[in-house]
Amino acid sequence: MGYRALEMAKEAGHGDVPLTSHATTRRPTVRQFLDEESNKEAAVSGAEHMQQLLSTLKKETGLTDQYVVRVPGVLSPTHWLTYWLGVRLRQDGGPDELYQLNSAFPSQVNAVPLSESRIMVAKPWGPVVDGHDILERMSREAYSKAGFHVDFIDDWPFHLASGDLHCITNAYRTPTARWW
């Protein structure tokens, strides 16, 4: 979904827009990101794995698509993210076997519900087209359809350390038997 949004931006003539709207050291363009074959492979592989996981979740819980909120996500090989965005590798010098792929933008999935109608989501810092972050707009629309008002929070430093909003928050919830 997120990768396709980048493709559409390029097709609409916005390929030279910076990939991220965050002021990072290097700012690749949408075109540079899409031209890297390993990013496309990561998008395809990631989408396939996510679909398999979603199918298992639906099968095991009985959830239906009406309960699934689809938000944009863009995966990329960690070596690409390290070079372009400064994503930090493990500090012990060991292999990053668990992180061969990582999110190119702060995760829109691992949000923190604040109430029945409000949700806190990491600001994606996606490409800005016509004055709007295209990934933020997609996330806001998706969560809005699910009945949520979205508060975007800047967690860029945590994203660069392979974490996101959910890694830096504690949330207390009262579970119910069938929360879905």
Side-chain angles (χ1 to χ4, degrees):
M1 183 174 172
Y3 190 87
R4 179 67 189 129
L6 297 177
E7 289 177 320
M8 290 170 49
K10 180 182 172 185
E11 291 165 7
H14 303 290
D16 293 327
V17 168
L19 179 67
T20 176
S21 52
H22 196 277
T24 57
T25 306
R26 296 181 183 165
R27 292 180 56 179
T29 65
V30 169
R31 180 182 329 278
Q32 286 173 308
F33 183 84
L34 294 174
D35 286 349
E36 177 61 46
E37 188 62 30
S38 64
N39 288 329
K40 183 172 187 169
E41 292 168 4
V44 169
S45 174
E48 289 171 356
H49 282 88
M50 284 185 254
Q51 187 55 51
Q52 290 170 357
L53 292 170
L54 180 58
S55 294
T56 300
L57 179 66
K58 288 164 57 176
K59 178 182 166 191
E60 296 292 327
T61 64
L63 285 175
T64 61
D65 282 334
Q66 81 181 59
Y67 294 102
V68 177
V69 178
R70 295 182 185 272
V71 294
V74 180
L75 295 177
S76 181
T78 303
H79 68 83
W80 196 92
L81 297 172
T82 300
Y83 177 76
W84 282 104
L85 302 180
V87 170
R88 294 188 290 278
L89 298 176
R90 288 178 40 173
Q91 299 301 307
D92 64 6
D96 284 298
E97 294 168 2
L98 296 177
Y99 301 109
Q100 293 175 0
L101 298 180
N102 208 335
S103 180
F105 302 94
S107 176
Q108 303 302 281
V109 174
N110 295 315
V112 179
L114 300 174
S115 71
E116 295 288 323
S117 61
R118 192 172 210 104
I119 195 161
M120 186 169 49
V121 180
K123 182 171 179 55
W125 296 103
V128 173
V129 173
D130 298 327
H132 299 281
D133 177 330
I134 62 174
L135 300 179
E136 185 174 311
R137 182 179 347 180
M138 291 172 70
S139 294
R140 186 180 304 281
E141 288 172 2
Y143 281 117
S144 179
K145 286 179 187 174
F148 286 101
H149 169 81
V150 180
D151 291 319
F152 286 100
I153 305 297
D154 179 5
D155 76 344
W156 188 260
F158 299 101
H159 171 64
L160 295 181
S162 297
D164 270 311
L165 189 63
H166 65 285
C167 296
I168 58 170
T169 57
N170 287 321
Y172 294 98
R173 297 180 184 89
T174 303
T176 58
R178 290 181 60 94
W179 53 265
W180 59 92

